[in-house]
Amino acid sequence: MYVDIVEAQSKYGFWGWNLWRQPIGFIIFLISSLAECERLPFDLPEAEEELIAGYQTEYSGIKFGLFYVASYLNLLISSLFVTVLYLGGCNISIPYVSILELFERDPIFGTTIGIFITLAKTYLFLFISIAT
């Protein structure tokens, strides 16, 4: 399933991404992932009225830290979903580059580059989500 989604987006390079094919779906997915991860403007558990009576006062130490680790892990996974579903996954998305043929000949190096490209796109979206 993952391979089919990524291969469907690799036909036209950058312009073949589902971001351009389904912009309304991308916006809806973006808004719902930000709401699921409780990021701005959907940060109701961290509203100003609840800073005294919210979950921040109920947990301290390692439990409080694990709450935030789980929150950022959720954000990382949603960024990975955005990368695979809308940003082309592991494709470098530059059409007609002859260097990419070298990557396909060596399966280990090609897989490593694919993982690096996927993580770079994921961390870019993660940075955008955290910075806003």
Side-chain angles (χ1 to χ4, degrees):
M1 186 72 168
Y2 163 78
V3 177
D4 295 336
I5 294 171
V6 172
E7 289 298 320
Q9 298 179 57
S10 67
K11 190 172 184 181
Y12 300 108
F14 175 74
W15 298 109
W17 287 356
N18 286 339
L19 172 69
W20 310 118
R21 293 180 186 174
Q22 303 172 355
I24 296 173
F26 173 72
I27 292 170
I28 290 171
F29 191 86
L30 177 68
I31 291 171
S32 63
S33 68
L34 290 177
E36 176 66 28
C37 296
E38 296 173 355
R39 303 301 294 178
L40 287 173
F42 305 103
D43 59 343
L44 291 179
E46 299 175 12
E48 293 179 10
E49 304 87 33
E50 296 184 2
L51 286 179
I52 303 299
Y55 69 90
Q56 287 91 351
T57 58
E58 296 175 10
Y59 297 104
S60 63
I62 192 71
K63 291 180 184 177
F64 185 72
L66 287 175
F67 247 138
Y68 275 96
V69 167
S71 172
Y72 282 112
L73 191 63
N74 190 10
L75 190 61
L76 179 71
I77 290 172
S78 69
S79 299
L80 189 62
F81 274 124
V82 167
T83 299
V84 170
L85 295 176
Y86 291 101
L87 300 181
C90 62
N91 290 328
I92 198 164
S93 302
I94 301 173
Y96 310 116
V97 176
S98 62
I99 298 173
L100 295 178
E101 294 174 1
L102 297 174
F103 295 155
E104 293 175 357
R105 291 183 187 158
D106 186 13
I108 296 173
F109 188 66
T111 303
T112 305
I113 293 296
I115 291 171
F116 177 73
I117 291 169
T118 303
L119 288 178
K121 290 177 184 179
T122 301
Y123 287 135
L124 175 70
F125 186 76
L126 185 68
F127 175 76
I128 291 170
S129 298
I130 292 173
T132 56

